[in-house]
Amino acid sequence: MQDFTPLVVGIDVGGTKTHLRAYAGDGLVADHVRTSSGWRPHDPVAAAGWLAALVSGALPRGVRPAALSVGGHACETPRQCAQIRTALQLHFDAPASVVGDAELLVPAAGLDKGVGLVAGTGSVAVGRLADGTSVQVGGWGAVLGDEGGSAGLVREAARAVWAAHDLGEEPDALALGLIDAFQVPEVPALGAALESAKSPSADWGRHAPVVFAAAEAGSPLARAVIDEGGRSLAALVGQLAARGVPVDDVVIAGSTILAQPGLYDAFTAALADSAPGAQPRPLEVPPVEGAVALARSLL
């Protein structure tokens, strides 16, 4: 690395893992992945300290960034992101930006505008108005929302099998799969199993494969849950469009939607109705590349 070549650092802090990449020009200086354990976005000082330690540990000794950009999981409002950025700049004498992690998708795809849609454990969609104002919809967590994410799908699957049980129907493949996954003896016990979860997003979401397996086995309940999840994700894009966000391009990421063709197909079919003309674009590079692009724009 030559001394005059500015070093840019991009960081994607996800709900489970964090990815840092640093470049000097086109040369990759660091590519570091670790867990997101310890990330506390609602405490700006602690979050900035966590990020500073991450950068220090990932870069060669004595090397400091010329620009830094972070996409942070659960960084939910512009005010919260600005507070982390202010605290972060106390650690680095360099321009910095902090946005929600879903905002990395559009620049990662090489686009100037559009919607970033994530459907992994949770679900959220973000975009920007013509004046640059960020708009986020969804992302309310497993208990209240996250429809179309893995945790939301499991929650709605449980509701569907409870409803079928109350109608006197015999357990189908979806009910039997959930009973086995949550290790309970019968459908009525699913309620207590879900309520006892210490971390609903993770503890519910890890059972999402049961829903897709049941759909493959022919469960109409599972198929309906997946279809509704797809419609809910498309509705997020429709909400952004109604608020004035350009939705010509919808960049899609997330371990659930990209790994499950049934959900992806349900989403794209519903998107054609909720936002006609919107073009779905599965993200083909790591989201951290969006953070790198934002960091470059600060130079």
Side-chain angles (χ1 to χ4, degrees), residues 12-141:
D12 172 26
V13 186
T16 302
K17 71 176 183 178
T18 291
H19 192 177
L20 177 150
R21 280 187 176 174
Y23 289 88
D26 293 330
L28 183 64
V29 175
D31 189 9
H32 177 73
V33 178
R34 58 152 290 174
T35 71
S36 297
S37 175
W39 171 244
R40 295 163 57 192
H42 295 284
D43 182 338
V45 173
W50 189 90
L51 291 166
L54 173 69
V55 172
S56 177
L59 296 185
R61 183 181 298 274
V63 174
R64 296 178 66 81
L68 173 70
S69 186
V70 179
H73 173 72
C75 191
E76 297 162 337
T77 68
R79 177 185 179 189
Q80 182 187 4
C81 290
Q83 289 174 334
I84 297 174
R85 176 179 57 80
T86 298
L88 186 61
Q89 287 182 310
L90 297 176
H91 293 271
F92 302 103
D93 183 20
S97 70
V98 179
V99 297
D101 57 345
E103 288 203 55
L104 301 182
L105 305 188
V106 170
L111 301 173
D112 295 325
K113 61 181 180 179
V115 171
L117 174 76
V118 178
T121 302
S123 62
V124 67
V126 297
R128 288 186 178 269
L129 302 176
D131 65 2
T133 301
S134 177
V135 181
Q136 174 177 309
V137 294
W140 292 103

Side-chain angles (χ1 to χ4, degrees), residues 82-275:
Q83 289 174 334
I84 297 174
R85 176 179 57 80
T86 298
L88 186 61
Q89 287 182 310
L90 297 176
H91 293 271
F92 302 103
D93 183 20
S97 70
V98 179
V99 297
D101 57 345
E103 288 203 55
L104 301 182
L105 305 188
V106 170
L111 301 173
D112 295 325
K113 61 181 180 179
V115 171
L117 174 76
V118 178
T121 302
S123 62
V124 67
V126 297
R128 288 186 178 269
L129 302 176
D131 65 2
T133 301
S134 177
V135 181
Q136 174 177 309
V137 294
W140 292 103
V143 175
L144 297 178
D146 281 352
E147 290 84 357
S150 62
L153 289 168
V154 171
R155 182 193 65 230
E156 296 308 306
R159 289 171 59 88
V161 300
W162 290 335
H165 177 270
D166 285 349
L167 291 173
E169 298 177 9
E170 290 295 317
D172 75 344
L174 179 60
L176 294 174
L178 290 176
I179 287 171
D180 181 64
F182 282 96
Q183 297 183 343
V184 295
E186 54 188 350
V187 168
L190 285 171
L194 267 69
E195 290 178 351
S196 66
K198 293 182 179 179
S199 176
S201 289
D203 294 344
W204 299 355
R206 64 190 178 92
H207 297 306
V210 169
V211 183
F212 296 102
E216 288 290 327
S219 167
L221 291 180
R223 183 68 260 170
V225 168
I226 294 168
D227 287 346
E228 182 57 31
R231 286 191 291 270
S232 296
L233 293 172
L236 295 178
V237 180
Q239 290 170 21
L240 289 175
R243 294 178 63 177
V245 172
V247 299
D248 298 319
D249 294 289
V250 181
V251 184
I252 305 159
S255 57
T256 302
I257 191 168
L258 294 185
Q260 298 293 346
L263 179 62
Y264 184 86
D265 291 345
F267 163 71
T268 55
L271 183 66
D273 293 328
S274 65

